[in-house]
Amino acid sequence: MNPTNENAPTDTIRLCDADDVSTILRIINLAAEAYRGVIPPDRWHEPYMPLGELQSEMAEGVAFSGFAVQDELVGVMGIQHVKNVRLIRHAYVLPEWQGHGVGSRLIAHLRGADETPVLIGTWAAANWAIRFYQRHGFELVPEAATGPLLKTYWHVPERQIATSVVLALPALSEGGAARLMAEIA
């Protein structure tokens, strides 16, 4: 899977732990450079994800899996069980490893065989991210359901809600999203 050597040793996907925090942070912040100038300027900050935010996300149940080559993480993706869904969180691959199947392997791993609905929130202007998730079977939820889903399952400010989309697997209609949220009311 090494972009420069097709005969590289076997790759592995493993659960990340506290020892990986600095590497996770590095991967996220390097890969997030793709969002600079794409997302609203008032939502961009340096670093894109500070250490305290990552630690808080992990404390709230985001479990990261990492794609490692020769024991070095080159991509990470988190999953978080929230109420009656699973959220894919913070999916990032080092720029030099993008386009080599790392993200695809991670998302397949996290989806697993669990039948619980999976939701992904991302920036509406991040067309490449939306296309990636759509290639893996996720579908955009109707715009009318985006805000309610983001308010129900995430902790994001109104400004971010206004500039985000939600994708779902299985697909959710507006009524399906309402029924999903009603299950937890």
Side-chain angles (χ1 to χ4, degrees):
M1 182 116 225
N2 185 319
T4 58
N5 180 0
E6 294 297 314
N7 299 315
T10 307
D11 314 315
T12 58
I13 294 177
R14 65 175 176 80
L15 190 61
C16 297
D17 59 29
D19 292 339
D20 296 310
V21 168
S22 63
T23 304
I24 294 168
L25 198 62
R26 178 179 162 272
I27 292 169
I28 289 172
N29 285 317
L30 285 171
E33 282 296 319
Y35 294 107
R36 186 190 296 271
V38 175
I39 65 172
D42 61 308
R43 299 309 309 148
W44 178 264
H45 45 272
E46 293 282 345
Y48 184 74
M49 179 174 282
L51 175 61
E53 183 178 336
L54 176 61
Q55 291 170 326
S56 176
E57 294 277 340
M58 293 174 82
E60 290 182 13
V62 177
F64 282 91
S65 289
F67 188 95
V69 176
Q70 297 178 335
D71 295 323
E72 182 177 331
L73 291 178
V74 299
V76 295
M77 193 176 291
I79 193 154
Q80 182 179 26
H81 294 267
V82 178
K83 302 172 184 172
N84 58 342
V85 302
R86 293 177 297 150
L87 305 177
I88 298 288
R89 306 288 310 274
H90 312 299
Y92 293 96
V93 174
L94 287 173
E96 63 268 25
W97 283 91
Q98 293 172 9
H100 295 280
V102 173
S104 294
R105 296 261 309 271
L106 282 167
I107 202 163
H109 174 78
L110 291 180
R111 281 179 49 193
D114 191 329
E115 295 297 318
T116 306
V118 180
L119 303 177
I120 300 170
T122 193
W123 299 102
N127 296 324
W128 68 91
I130 294 167
R131 285 191 307 271
F132 169 79
Y133 296 125
Q134 289 173 323
R135 280 195 311 271
H136 292 282
F138 290 82
E139 292 189 31
L140 285 165
V141 301
E143 189 175 332
T146 298
L149 286 168
L150 287 167
K151 290 175 184 174
T152 299
Y153 297 106
W154 283 268
H155 303 290
V156 293
E158 284 293 328
R159 177 70 172 123
Q160 190 166 338
I161 290 170
T163 56
S164 294
V165 296
V166 174
L167 296 99
L169 184 70
L172 283 176
S173 64
E174 187 176 344
R179 284 189 295 281
L180 186 66
M181 291 180 285
E183 289 176 9
I184 56 173

